[in-house]
Amino acid sequence: MKGVGLIFKKEWMEFSKDRRTLLFTFVIPLILFPAIFMMMTKMAQGDSVRRRGQASRIVLNDPGGVMKPFLLEETKLFQLVEAPGGDLKQALRDKKFDLAVDVEEDAPGKLRRQEPFAVKAMVDESESASELALKRLKEAMQKQDQVWVQARLEAIRAPKDLPKPTNLIIEKASDLALEMSKLLGMIVPYILLIGLYTNAMQHGVYMTAGEKERHTLLSLLSTPLPRSHVIWGKLLATFSIGVLGTVMNVVGMGLGFLILGQQAVGSEAATAGAAAAPSLSFASLASPATLGLTLLLLIPLGLFFSSIILVLGTQAKNSREAMTAITPGIFVVVMLGVFSMSPGLEKMAALPYVPVLNVALTIRKLFSHEFVAWQYLLAFVMTSGLAAAMAWVSTSILNRESVIFKQ
Amino acid sequence: MIQVTNLHKAFTVKDGKTKAKKRIEAVRGISFQVNPGEIYGLLGPNGAGKSTTLRMIATLMQPDQGTIEVCGLDTQKEGEKVRGRLGYLSTDMNVYERFTPRELLRLFGEFQGVDATIAERRGLYLLDKLQLTDFSDVKMDGLSSGQKQKVSIARALLHDPKVVIFDEPTTGLDVLTAKTVLDLLRVMRSEGRTVIVSTHVMPLVDEICDRVGIIFDGELYGDAPPREILGRYSVRTLDEVFFKLAAGGGR
Ligand SMILES: Nc1ncnc2c1ncn2[C@@H]1O[C@H](COP(=O)(O)OP(=O)(O)OP(=O)(O)O)[C@@H](O)[C@H]1O
Ligand SMILES: [Mg+2]
């Protein structure tokens, strides 16, 4: 067993001498994901946030002057603009203003007679600025309606709650953290599958076909270390680099999600005007148990992938040949990953029995707080079995001299 | 001590054009013995079977037939122990270029079960003999191929092996460096080690080998001190032995 440790140490030493790879494997994902997420939300929100901060431009035709006073009162929400010449509809589509409001000429008379008067609004629904203006108008009118109703009630000395027989109180039950966690559970297996495979690929090939190519393998095999130790050392090194790199990816993702969530919370608070926004922390996204159980599953999955890579890498003459053999695997893994993201996955009855995919399913359930013990165990045992079988194959391959002296 | 008895090894290769499988008998019934304190030279043209024979002794290949004993150990049964007593070097071996010579020597010391500090000290002694001390802390991707070869030599001898197997050790080395390697082999002999060298550079053999075996087409001819071989074929240089063998297709 000492040999395994020595080879493991040697591989890590060699790996750590390459600063650039080190950076790309461990540091970049940590920065990249948050950066991408930040950019995405900035791009998606930037527009609406900016608009929200601006008053809607209204072209108001209000001969009786009923609406004008209360619209003008809300200087932050409305800005009255002159009607541009020409076709009004076209001008609206050209974003010369956001909403055209047309109030009936007899509005003051009808208001006095307690008859409803008509307000026509012209909106361009394909423009969110125009939609926002309409929404604001509706809210403003609702508020004003209440003022007028109260005045009428007062005039007839009726109780002011007369028009409000019910009072709907809404309590939001959706848990932002759980929502985010579920979303994370959908994406995490995908990142794990691809991260494990590609990370293991790069370094596994370097340690196998790469050693043949660089003519170093023979010097290693001419030491007293048993070949099984050599392959296990390499397997564990590939595995650990793969898993660590992947974990960095997931942590980076988690950080990205936090940013995303914080912004969602922030904008919700801004629209609702509420001061107390629910806080979103790393721990609320995934409990230690969820993370622990996910990591535990990564052990057999990582070993399985690593040993596939080692088998293919050992058999190849050089890195190029190894890459040719290993690359198709990326497509398989990506396909599995994409499949594992599909929404109705949990309902497929056979899935807990499908290797690799059952790992994805289990992780997803972990993140949605729907842990099923037997499914987890099955996925774990199945993947461990596959990993052991593949590890055995890779050891027996390194014992073949036709593989070592392939020319 | 090395004892090789009736060694056989064949390869099956695929012909690129006809796709037919072809059997190459690389080694056909070779037997010889090398004693401690002796340098044995394996000579032969390209493809004669020298490297195949040495790889089998070094346990990197398994014979189809025959037995090999190294220090009284059967190579096929006790490979790990045999490798611990062997210093093996061949032309198709290179160094780990991301390491410095010092790092490499420490690491291989550990692989050999030698304490890292002792391995380093012995390695540096060898590097000094090979005039490479100045480069012991230089990352090896910056070394010339001859300098790397020297590090490989130090790597092979680091664990104080009883048996030394060098497959074409002077390939790629200039005359000066080649001489230091030969001097090192002489030291090995004087220390009572068992040494085998393969080569097709004849003067080298003349200079250091106590006995030579000539391999031609997988079979061993000769197995005597160089002078005796010359007498047997009534020629003046070992090169001429080759010409005779090639002309006669063997005998
Ligand atoms: N791994 C292998 N697979 C197939 N054939 C091989 C293999 N190794 C050697 N051979 C064949 O066996 C024969 C002997 O090869 P070997 O390498 O032992 O020759 P050699 O005497 O060392 O030659 P050289 O002086 O060129 O190094 C050659 O015909 C070679 O093609
Ligand atoms: Mg050779």
Side-chain angles (χ1 to χ4, degrees), chain B residues 120-246:
Chain B
E120 186 182 331
R121 202 181 314 141
R122 193 171 149 79
L124 290 178
Y125 159 79
L126 288 164
L127 287 186
D128 183 44
K129 285 254 165 206
L130 294 162
Q131 287 130 34
L132 203 69
T133 319
D134 290 349
F135 292 90
S136 51
D137 290 309
V138 176
K139 212 175 148 198
M140 281 188 278
D141 55 8
L143 297 191
S144 78
S145 57
Q147 289 168 328
K148 286 182 207 161
Q149 172 81 343
K150 287 180 181 180
V151 178
S152 281
I153 292 171
R155 190 268 303 148
L157 300 176
L158 174 89
H159 53 294
D160 207 5
K162 290 269 171 296
V163 173
V164 176
I165 299 178
F166 277 8
D167 192 356
E168 298 185 29
T170 54
T171 308
L173 300 182
D174 62 50
V175 278
L176 291 175
T177 316
K179 188 175 175 312
T180 41
V181 172
L182 297 188
D183 288 343
L184 195 63
L185 286 174
R186 283 200 189 92
V187 174
M188 296 286 138
R189 169 171 59 193
S190 68
E191 288 169 349
R193 296 177 214 274
T194 311
V195 182
I196 303 188
V197 219
S198 91
T199 186
H200 28 218
V201 185
M202 298 302 163
L204 180 154
V205 178
D206 241 356
E207 217 177 302
I208 63 160
C209 291
D210 301 305
R211 272 188 310 136
V212 293
I214 293 179
I215 296 193
F216 196 86
D217 208 7
E219 286 183 69
L220 191 71
Y221 298 88
D223 190 9
R227 299 279 138 222
E228 236 181 273
I229 301 234
L230 296 181
R232 200 181 295 170
Y233 285 89
S234 21
V235 289
R236 291 223 307 277
T237 64
L238 281 166
D239 285 349
E240 289 174 64
V241 179
F242 271 20
F243 297 139
K244 276 209 165 176
L245 283 171

Side-chain angles (χ1 to χ4, degrees), chain B residues 88-117:
Chain B
Y88 174 72
L89 175 74
S90 76
T91 42
D92 50 9
M93 274 170 154
N94 203 346
V95 292
Y96 288 95
E97 294 189 350
R98 284 188 185 174
F99 295 144
T100 66
R102 192 194 298 272
E103 287 169 335
L104 183 96
L105 294 173
R106 282 182 73 103
L107 204 58
F108 271 83
E110 287 187 277
F111 292 166
Q112 291 286 358
V114 182
D115 177 79
T117 346

Side-chain angles (χ1 to χ4, degrees), chain A residues 241-264:
Chain A
I241 294 172
V243 168
L244 259 166
T246 309
V247 166
M248 288 303 170
N249 274 307
V250 175
V251 171
M253 274 282 298
L255 286 177
F257 261 68
L258 276 187
I259 291 170
L260 200 73
Q262 226 75 58
Q263 268 165 6

Side-chain angles (χ1 to χ4, degrees), chain A residues 115-191:
Chain A
E115 286 167 25
F117 62 89
V119 178
K120 269 195 233 156
M122 189 197 290
V123 63
D124 178 1
E125 277 175 311
S126 65
E127 277 300 327
S128 50
S130 189
E131 283 212 293
L132 180 67
L134 180 64
K135 192 172 149 232
R136 284 171 169 173
L137 180 72
K138 278 182 185 166
E139 280 166 9
M141 281 179 65
Q142 227 167 23
K143 231 163 95 185
Q144 187 55 36
D145 275 357
Q146 259 173 30
V147 173
W148 283 325
V149 168
Q150 289 301 330
R152 288 174 190 178
L153 288 173
E154 231 165 77
I156 58 166
R157 295 211 171 76
K160 65 179 199 299
D161 283 340
L162 184 82
K164 269 175 80 184
T166 58
N167 194 7
L168 179 63
I169 298 162
I170 298 169
E171 194 180 339
K172 285 196 177 169
S174 81
D175 180 351
L176 183 68
L178 181 62
E179 205 98 311
M180 282 282 179
S181 177
K182 273 185 179 169
L183 194 60
L184 205 57
M186 254 166 91
I187 301 170
V188 160
Y190 176 79
I191 299 285

Side-chain angles (χ1 to χ4, degrees), chain A residues 330-351:
Chain A
I330 297 183
F331 297 112
V332 176
V333 172
V334 167
M335 255 152 63
L336 289 177
V338 169
F339 184 72
S340 79
M341 283 210 290
S342 54
L345 204 67
E346 302 92 309
K347 292 170 191 82
M348 292 179 64
L351 212 60

